[in-house]
Amino acid sequence: MYVYKELLTVKTMKTVKSSLTQEDVNRLLSEPSTEVRAELASKVGREIDNPTLTPKEMELAHDIIRIMAADVAAIVRATLSHNLRNSKNLPHDVAVKLANDIDKVAIPIIESSPVLTDEDLIEILKYGNETKQICIASRYNLSEDVSHAVVCTSGEHAVAALMENRTAAISESTFNETIDRFHRSDLVKGKIVYRANLPIQISERLSLIVADNLKDYLVTNQNISPQSAADIVLRSREKAIITMTGRSSIEDLKKMLSQMHENGRLTPTLVIRALCMGDVSFFEVAMSVMANIPLVNTSILIHEGGHLGLKSLYERSKMPMEFFPVIKTAIDVLREMQMTAESNGRNKFGARVIERILTTFEDGMNPEDANYLMDKLGDILRTDTATT
């Protein structure tokens, strides 16, 4: 009680609307009730950021805050926490103490306090309950380190809150960790999907999970055979991948297609679909990845090496030889049209490829090979160019 009195009776304490007064001292000394202590905590909390406090006054303010942070009445500690939640002058040790208190005391500090460090937040994540974890995940401008700790140590609802936090910095490795841990959580996946500027590699992984869920649904609920469901899903997923890579940089394409190739998801039909839809960059990078040669060499073989250069690249990529006539035809059309990157140019290119392939079939391609190609490609070309 002495520290309270000393602080409240310092003559140099500046008088503002919310300042402590001699009347507060008298009430505290004569009636040290919980309500009076809570009111005092509120006033001290508001006063600590007063820029006119002297060093001595600030020292005394810190003393009384430390006493109140240990008050046996939760309402006193909660009032103190609420009023100090945004304070830059809150002593670090008090911030940590309050953050590790019961929820109604801790939450205001955890949500907003600028005094808590990344290390403090990570420690709270390890031992805190779900409510505290969600509060940390929702903090403004969360760092990559804390975001990673949320994913590694917290439950589904906290991770969903993190994915919904548009100001949180989240690294690609943390996104991957999230998908690894919560690939069965529709809540978490749904939050990831709606994040802005999602890395293209993460989008590709999500599309795989969504495709698998769709396949299971078709087999279970729509009386479709597993093979038919797989074909439907594969076509949908491949179209989605090409669409989402339309504006990606070459570097992002390299990362994503390398990831897909390593995991057996860079399929021949996807590569052919991309080329026949006019996505030449996708085709070039895919062939570079599969053939394991530099992209510049790949581009030379495709565009300047003639049919022999293209065939050499194709064989090195280990693509099925049955598909080579389609690739060769598409590249021939590309060279003839000198296609630009404009969308209408891509559409015209796709239509011309279809016309040329059908003509090739009619003009003497081995019927067995033609049937094989049509069976494997399904509606890859016709569906994607139906609207051109």
Side-chain angles (χ1 to χ4, degrees), residues 39-50:
E39 183 180 342
L40 177 62
S42 177
K43 289 191 175 185
V44 173
R46 293 196 302 268
E47 188 68 20
I48 193 172
D49 285 325
N50 186 334

Side-chain angles (χ1 to χ4, degrees), residues 228-240:
S228 296
D231 290 342
I232 292 170
V233 169
L234 179 62
R235 289 196 295 271
S236 298
R237 180 170 182 270
E238 289 181 348
K239 290 172 67 175

